[in-house]
Amino acid sequence: MLDKTFDPKTAEPRLYQAWEASGGFAPTDDPNAEPFSIVIPPPNVTGSLHIGHALNNTLQDVLIRFERMRGKAALWLPGTDHAGIATQMVVERQLAQAGNQSRRDMGRDDFVAKVWEWKAQSGGTIVNQLRRLGASCDWSRERFTLDEGLSAAVRKVFVQLHKEKLIYRDKRLVNWDPHFQTAISDLEVEAREVDGHYWHFAYPLEDGSGEIVVATTRPETMLGDTAVAVHPDDERYKAVVGKAVRLPIVNRPIPIIADEYPDPEKGSGAVKITPAHDFNDFAVGKRHSLPMINIFDDFARINDNAPPEYRGLDRFEARKKVIAAFEELGLLREIEKTRHTVPHGDRSGVVVEPYLTDQWYVAADVLAKPAIKAVEEGDTVFVPKNWEKTYFEWMRNIQPWCVSRQLWWGHRIPAWYGPSLDPEAKDKHTAKVFVAETAEEALDEARRFYGPDVAVEVDDNFPGWEKVNGVFSKVRLKQDEDVLDTWFSSGLWPFSTMGWPEKTSDLARFYPTHTLITGFDIIFFWVARMMMQGLHFTGEVPFKRVFINALVRDASGAKMSKSKGNVLDPLELVDEFGADALRFTLTAMSGQARDIKLSRQRIEGYRNFGTKLWNASRFCQVNGCARAEGFDPAAVKAPLNRWIVGETQRTAAAVTAALDGCGFDETANGLYRFIWNQFCDWYVELAKPLLTGADEAAKAETQATAAWVLDVILKLLHPVMPFITEELWQQTADLGAARAERQLMTARWPDLPASLVDAAADAEIGLIIDTITEGRSVRQGLNVPLSAQPPLLVIEARPEQRAVLGASAALVARLLRVSGVEFVEAAPAGSIPFVVDGATLALPVAEFIDIAAERARLTKEVASLAGEIEKTAKKLGNADFIARAPEEVVEENRERLADAQAAKAKLEAALARLQTV
């Protein structure tokens, strides 16, 4: 017999261990099974499970369990990302805390060894947390973006792209983090609103004929100005275009140029151009061939390109000094307060600088063309489809992709530098580059380049050459110190994890993958790059479908953040409510194109759903329900059993269709309605007379039907709530004699014929259910006491309806709390009529309620709600409120309006009924 309650704390680890030990997470080796594969968006090896991971991985697990049960060779391939900057930061912080030691004190090799040591000890945290969530990944295939196989794939891709001239070195602007002294991606830049100033500086014209005023929020960058730009149609400046101003402090003449970038309506209409320190200015500088003067070093201190008195100053100290100098020169015209957006490193927290530096770039515009075409032609589809627009906008305006990072942890760039044979070459010690997959291959290339008489070796510490009698005798190569952007290696994830470039059986069987489930924020950073690289190196799209999951917010709709104190820890929620309750909540609320408002109350409610199913299973056990050998659901005779069999078929078909289309919320909500309402409430209640009656044949049929339905329920619900369903499957084996499947996880998915639906049974049981439901609604709406037992009056009904209501009179009386069912020609005064499927019924309630008082109460409540509706609607109709109020406040008001309108409609219906009395 089942315990009274399900205990997730003891059951979940036991069940998961049994699943994993059984080998059931691996795809079937049946060669005839259709492949279905998903690769996990690899979480950072530094990470721990957050609520976004919980949502994303729950949906993946729902899909993979569904397809596994459908008999497909279902592979969910797991792994983690080395997360260059995040991991390096963790270990550097540990070193600092342990003894004020830096990575530079240790040296590269020792530091990288230390990171690997940390990874071995702590890097598996999130993987084990995914197990707690119930993730049924094939852990035997787990990969890491820095493992040897993936590293070899990364080197091959880099070398091939370089040979194809799709990877190259260039001097361009990057997002520079002065704390970590590295370029970072746009995704690692956090835009923060801060209080600041516009400083209005006057630049005197070189010919002494006047001045031009420019405004800036970054005064220190003026040390690198190389032009002043005005709009070509701005009449105020047409006479000075082509002239020059004398750049104050630096005392350098810079031209006045005409460009469409300045806005004549903004400020003075003139802007200072600093191509080395502003992305817009860089574009202007390119158009006009302006010098690009970098005034910062790697730490954002002023370098030697500025006047001597500024060199070595921190950028913000230099700012103060520049402002003071302009004031002293009499050229500070105005200081204007402003609130503006300033980019910060999301991990370092420091202000990011646009910084001109030599980096490695991928010609993303070339790779993007096939990736755009693949989505245009439907080879890969986005769900919801509207995200295709976002994808196209990014891809059609793509810029060169900076793939080098000034870090030590990561895939070191496979490029070695040697000296140029040209003595006049710039950077002559490292002017020649050899790009190869290994150092040995680079040395071979270098030997061919320098000739047989020159010894070549790799020496990172002493690159350059030795000469004997003016002739090269030895050349030392130095490997590029940078590593690759993490997105470069994760962009290869769908095929590198399956063994590419080797022609493995996994690659042949499971690539392209079927579905990618991920967040909208990395469509460009990850999805697009997988598309570009997958197509370029395999000739096929990496996945056929991309499902973009929602964002999880708090109960009021606010974005979760530690600073707000509104973060919900999924592991704490699993401890409190069990993994199934959290999984069901996330699945049920994951409707396409809408965010999830998560609260403990929601999760608690879905835990109660699990309890409801548990109790219904215990009811079946207590009442001797057992699946009979050779049970045929199509052969049941009792209308109630025919009805539940038909509803089971409808639900199975609807859930299958929903999961096929990534309708996760439709799946969960459909299961909820069927299990809670139709099975646990109506079927169990309506079956009690059959289970306790004298008709042994009807009793046996109902016992077998209930056991069969419960089996189907457990199968349909398993992908969403795997733990409680597996436990019920194991613990209620007596309900299903001759079960072929030992584990529910690998049981066969229900495929039920539409012929199981019985229209006559639907009409009969539907009439009973609707009569009880509408009758309860009348009683509740008019505050009829529970103790009151008026008769249910049948006034007008079709003959078959009269037969049903007559035959089920005792059942209706018990569930509706009426004295009985009476067939009358007309209802007496004080009766409340209602209509069910064309039949007119009534409840005579005048003797149980004060009708006048009820009218007054309902009228008052309707008026109160009308006032609330008017007030809220007015607020939502105010454009200023919509523009200024936080998103969660606006959404809260919309929900309040909808709730009030629904409540008002319900009360008005009850009031309308009273008008007939």
Side-chain angles (χ1 to χ4, degrees):
M1 177 61 67
L2 284 170
D3 292 337
K4 286 189 175 181
T5 57
F6 173 63
D7 180 15
K9 283 187 170 62
T10 58
E12 288 177 358
R14 167 172 50 79
L15 291 168
Y16 195 91
Q17 187 176 14
W19 286 332
E20 192 168 357
S22 74
F25 293 164
T28 175
D29 54 9
D30 178 359
N32 297 316
E34 179 187 343
F36 181 91
S37 55
I38 296 176
V39 290
I40 200 169
N44 287 358
V45 72
T46 59
S48 59
L49 195 71
H50 59 62
I51 202 67
H53 289 135
L55 168 65
N56 182 266
N57 285 282
T58 292
L59 299 183
Q60 291 178 80
D61 195 47
V62 168
L63 204 54
I64 209 74
R65 286 180 183 270
F66 165 62
E67 298 293 5
R68 184 184 292 128
M69 292 176 75
R70 287 218 284 184
K72 294 184 182 179
L75 170 63
W76 185 11
L77 199 151
T80 50
D81 191 284
H82 65 278
I85 196 167
T87 307
Q88 182 161 315
M89 181 180 72
V90 167
V91 178
E92 284 196 84
R93 188 183 295 137
Q94 289 177 346
L95 290 173
Q97 291 171 348
N100 200 27
Q101 190 178 26
S102 74
R103 65 183 168 105
R104 299 187 189 281
D105 296 331
M106 294 183 72
R108 184 175 194 131
D109 290 345
D110 288 345
F111 176 76
V112 170
K114 189 74 177 175
V115 183
W116 276 110
E117 181 184 316
W118 174 88
K119 192 263 180 188
Q121 293 173 352
S122 307
T125 298
I126 195 165
V127 165
N128 292 324
Q129 291 171 339
L130 286 171
R131 286 176 163 91
R132 289 203 58 199
L133 191 65
S136 60
C137 304
D138 182 358
W139 299 109
S140 69
R141 285 174 164 87
E142 183 179 350
R143 303 304 300 268
F144 177 53
T145 49
L146 268 179
D147 69 30
E148 183 48 44
L150 269 67
S151 296
V154 166
R155 293 192 295 270
K156 181 175 180 63
V157 164
F158 188 95
V159 171
Q160 182 173 327
L161 289 175
H162 184 263
K163 286 178 179 176
E164 295 169 348
K165 302 192 184 313
L166 296 176
I167 278 186
Y168 55 90
R169 290 275 285 179
D170 196 9
K171 188 181 288 290
R172 296 176 62 91
L173 282 192
V174 296
N175 298 308
W176 186 263
D177 187 317
H179 177 78
F180 291 115
Q181 297 98 56
T182 182
I184 60 176
S185 73
D186 289 344
L187 191 64
E188 295 161 314
V189 176
E190 180 183 324
R192 299 182 189 173
E193 273 206 355
V194 300
D195 292 321
H197 299 85
Y198 274 114
W199 285 273
H200 295 254
F201 293 155
Y203 286 5
L205 268 69
E206 192 174 25
D207 62 9
S209 61
E211 64 183 30
I212 285 184
V213 175
V214 298
T216 180
T217 59
R218 300 160 65 215
E220 66 280 5
T221 63
M222 60 79 51
L223 299 171
D225 284 359
T226 57
V228 171
V230 296
H231 196 280
D233 297 333
D234 194 332
E235 294 293 335
R236 294 171 294 177
Y237 298 112
K238 285 201 170 181
V240 297
V241 171
K243 291 187 176 183
V245 296
R246 175 65 58 174
L247 186 63
I249 300 175
V250 181
N251 200 29
R252 179 174 68 239
I254 59 176
I256 301 169
I257 61 174
D259 190 274
E260 294 195 353
Y261 167 57
D263 182 356
E265 304 298 321
K266 189 174 179 181
S268 68
V271 294
K272 59 187 280 304
I273 302 298
T274 321
H277 297 290
D278 183 277
F279 287 100
N280 290 315
D281 293 4
F282 179 79
V284 174
K286 282 282 190 182
R287 288 196 290 272
H288 295 271
S289 300
L290 298 175
M292 300 196 181
I293 302 173
N294 186 356
I295 60 163
F296 292 140
D297 67 11
D298 290 356
F299 295 87
R301 298 174 302 211
I302 305 300
N303 66 19
D304 290 349
N305 289 329
E309 62 269 29
Y310 291 87
R311 295 171 188 170
L313 290 179
D314 173 81
R315 55 187 160 162
F316 299 117
E317 286 300 314
R319 176 177 295 181
K320 295 175 185 175
K321 193 174 179 71
V322 166
I323 295 166
F326 267 86
E327 192 167 22
E328 188 176 331
L329 291 168
L331 299 174
L332 178 60
R333 294 290 176 259
E334 183 185 354
I335 302 176
E336 175 190 353
K337 286 186 178 180
T338 186
R339 186 160 181 81
H340 62 129
T341 300
V342 176
H344 288 70
D346 67 343
R347 299 188 186 280
S348 66
V350 304
V351 174
V352 169
E353 288 291 344
Y355 187 56
L356 188 65
T357 179
D358 288 306
Q359 301 285 347
W360 288 93
Y361 288 90
V362 170
D365 59 329
V366 177
L367 297 180
K369 288 182 176 64
I372 293 169
K373 184 180 178 184
V375 176
E376 287 175 336
E377 296 184 349
D379 297 331
T380 295
V381 297
F382 279 77
V383 181
K385 190 174 177 61
N386 61 285
W387 287 111
E388 289 181 5
K389 182 181 178 183
T390 301
Y391 173 83
F392 288 138
E393 284 176 355
W394 278 335
M395 294 292 271
R396 288 167 181 159
N397 296 284
I398 201 165
Q399 297 295 309
W401 171 19
C402 176
V403 293
S404 46
R405 298 289 181 268
Q406 289 64 55
L407 303 171
W408 286 356
W409 172 247
H411 294 101
R412 193 166 176 182
I413 289 176
W416 286 261
Y417 299 97
S420 170
L421 297 178
D422 178 2
E424 302 300 319
K426 186 180 179 183
D427 301 325
K428 57 186 177 181
H429 288 280
T430 56
K432 177 64 181 174
V433 63
F434 302 95
V435 174
E437 293 184 39
T438 65
E440 290 73 20
E441 291 177 10
L443 286 169
D444 287 344
E445 285 190 28
R447 291 184 187 106
R448 287 193 292 272
F449 178 77
Y450 293 112
D453 298 329
V454 179
V456 183
E457 62 184 36
V458 173
D459 189 336
D460 285 348
N461 295 315
F462 301 103
W465 66 78
E466 291 180 10
K467 287 184 177 180
V468 175
N469 297 325
V471 177
F472 281 106
S473 62
K474 179 182 285 188
V475 165
R476 302 186 189 94
L477 306 183
K478 176 184 178 67
Q479 186 175 358
D480 197 308
E481 293 190 354
D482 292 352
V483 300
L484 285 163
D485 176 13
T486 298
W487 298 106
F488 188 89
S489 52
S490 60
L492 313 179
W493 186 251
F495 57 95
S496 64
T497 52
M498 294 186 191
W500 185 93
E502 301 299 323
K503 294 181 178 179
T504 65
S505 57
D506 271 5
L507 190 66
R509 190 182 192 195
F510 296 112
Y511 186 88
T513 66
H514 189 280
T515 300
L516 176 75
I517 300 179
T518 189
F520 69 89
D521 53 335
I522 54 175
I523 290 176
F524 176 67
F525 294 98
W526 190 46
V527 177
R529 284 161 184 174
M530 286 189 287
M531 288 289 289
M532 290 190 288
Q533 292 176 299
L535 281 162
H536 191 77
F537 289 99
T538 74
E540 295 185 87
V541 293
F543 23 75
K544 299 168 187 174
R545 177 173 64 184
V546 181
F547 178 81
I548 303 298
N549 61 246
L551 180 69
V552 185
R553 297 179 178 269
D554 71 8
S556 66
K559 191 171 181 178
M560 292 186 188
S561 70
K562 290 180 181 178
S563 61
K564 291 180 181 177
N566 63 347
V567 172
L568 290 174
D569 183 335
L571 296 175
E572 289 181 8
L573 297 172
V574 169
D575 287 338
E576 187 174 354
F577 302 108
D580 286 327
L582 176 60
R583 287 170 62 108
F584 197 96
T585 306
L586 293 170
T587 306
M589 301 180 70
S590 65
Q592 295 179 9
R594 70 178 175 86
D595 291 339
I596 292 173
K597 292 183 182 178
L598 191 63
S599 68
R600 278 185 156 79
Q601 291 76 14
R602 291 264 193 179
I603 303 168
E604 184 178 13
Y606 287 123
R607 180 187 62 186
N608 296 343
F609 168 66
T611 301
K612 185 87 168 177
L613 175 61
W614 186 270
N615 290 339
S617 301
R618 290 187 85 243
F619 171 85
C620 289
Q621 274 192 329
V622 168
N623 285 277
C625 299
R627 186 177 178 187
E629 290 287 351
F631 175 77
D632 181 4
V636 296
K637 294 182 174 58
L640 177 64
N641 293 329
R642 298 204 312 273
W643 168 76
I644 196 63
V645 164
E647 290 300 321
T648 304
Q649 189 282 331
R650 283 196 183 99
T651 301
V655 168
T656 302
L659 286 175
D660 255 337
C662 288
F664 297 104
D665 58 328
E666 297 171 39
T667 296
N669 294 324
L671 286 167
Y672 185 94
R673 286 190 299 271
F674 173 65
I675 295 169
W676 187 297
N677 298 334
Q678 293 173 301
F679 182 71
C680 295
D681 278 354
W682 289 114
Y683 182 73
V684 165
E685 282 301 320
L686 298 177
K688 285 177 180 177
L690 295 173
L691 291 170
T692 58
D695 187 337
E696 290 297 327
K699 178 179 180 179
E701 179 187 279
T702 303
Q703 289 171 327
T705 302
W708 176 82
V709 174
L710 186 60
D711 269 6
V712 176
I713 283 173
L714 295 179
K715 289 179 179 181
L716 295 176
L717 184 59
H718 178 74
V720 186
M721 300 182 87
F723 290 108
I724 194 171
T725 52
E726 185 74 69
E727 184 76 342
L728 284 170
W729 185 264
Q730 303 290 342
Q731 296 295 325
T732 60
D734 55 313
L735 296 187
R739 275 184 182 155
E741 305 95 345
R742 184 171 57 86
Q743 283 189 326
L744 177 59
M745 180 182 70
T746 50
R748 196 69 178 175
W749 185 258
D751 184 11
L752 307 178
S755 59
L756 291 178
V757 175
D758 187 311
D762 284 353
E764 184 170 336
I765 303 304
L767 178 63
I768 295 170
I769 290 173
D770 291 347
T771 296
I772 295 167
T773 301
E774 286 299 309
R776 286 173 174 173
S777 179
V778 169
R779 294 186 62 130
Q780 184 181 7
L782 299 179
N783 278 342
V784 177
L786 288 175
S787 58
Q789 291 205 342
L792 173 66
L793 305 179
V794 181
I795 304 167
E796 290 183 10
R798 298 189 298 273
E800 65 273 16
Q801 292 176 321
R802 287 175 175 271
V804 169
L805 293 172
S808 59
L811 189 62
V812 172
R814 177 169 64 86
L815 296 178
L816 186 51
R817 292 179 178 270
V818 294
S819 60
V821 177
E822 299 179 8
F823 297 87
V824 299
E825 295 295 326
S831 296
I832 305 297
F834 59 98
V835 177
V836 174
D837 190 22
T840 302
L841 313 175
L843 287 173
V845 296
E847 65 179 287
F848 303 109
I849 62 171
D850 183 334
I851 292 176
E854 275 303 303
R855 280 201 191 104
R857 178 184 72 83
L858 291 169
T859 301
K860 183 178 179 181
E861 289 187 20
V862 166
S864 174
L865 285 168
E868 182 181 336
I869 288 168
E870 183 182 6
K871 179 181 175 183
T872 309
K874 186 176 180 181
K875 186 184 290 187
L876 290 169
N878 184 334
D880 190 53
F881 169 75
I882 297 294
R884 292 178 178 273
E887 184 182 338
E888 60 267 24
V889 174
V890 175
E891 184 60 28
E892 184 182 345
N893 275 271
R894 287 182 179 137
E895 288 184 1
R896 185 184 302 151
L897 178 61
D899 290 345
Q901 288 170 332
K904 179 171 174 279
K906 192 173 181 180
L907 291 175
E908 284 175 333
L911 186 57
R913 286 193 178 109
L914 278 180
Q915 305 306 332
T916 65
V917 178

